[in-house]
Amino acid sequence: STIDGAVHDSVTTIGNYAFSDCEGLASVTIPDSVTTIGEEAFSYCTSLKTVYCKPTTPPTGGSDMFYKNASERKIYVPAGSVEAYKEKEYWRDYADAIVGYDF
């Protein structure tokens, strides 16, 4: 079975390896409050297909933060921030998966 997760609205940092190997995680929502996502935070989440990342300013990222997710995984970011995410260090590794979204 798969699960949908939402990080609590008061969280500012998703630590290194926080959700690593969470194979049942299919969807996650990252709230506006997050300013940092650690290395491999969502690595090896092999069912993860949908990431909703709400901050308009891309959080500071970590290496391989979305490594080995489901092959069709999309990262939805605020529509006006697509280019900022695609250019930001570590996010640019996933540029092909970043899609604008109206939250």
Side-chain angles (χ1 to χ4, degrees), residues 6-84:
V7 176
H8 195 273
D9 286 345
S10 63
V11 171
T12 58
T13 300
I14 298 173
N16 295 347
Y17 309 99
F19 295 92
S20 184
D21 295 311
C22 188
E23 294 175 359
L25 186 65
S27 173
V28 68
T29 299
I30 298 168
D32 288 332
S33 56
V34 171
T35 57
T36 304
I37 298 175
E39 65 181 61
E40 295 196 38
F42 296 95
S43 65
Y44 298 100
C45 294
T46 52
S47 298
L48 186 58
K49 293 180 181 176
T50 310
V51 177
Y52 295 103
C53 193
K54 293 184 171 183
T56 52
T57 299
T60 299
S63 61
D64 295 326
M65 54 190 172
F66 297 108
Y67 183 69
K68 292 284 187 188
N69 293 163
S71 59
E72 65 274 26
R73 184 252 302 110
K74 295 291 182 200
I75 301 170
Y76 296 95
V77 304
S81 301
V82 172
E83 288 310 310

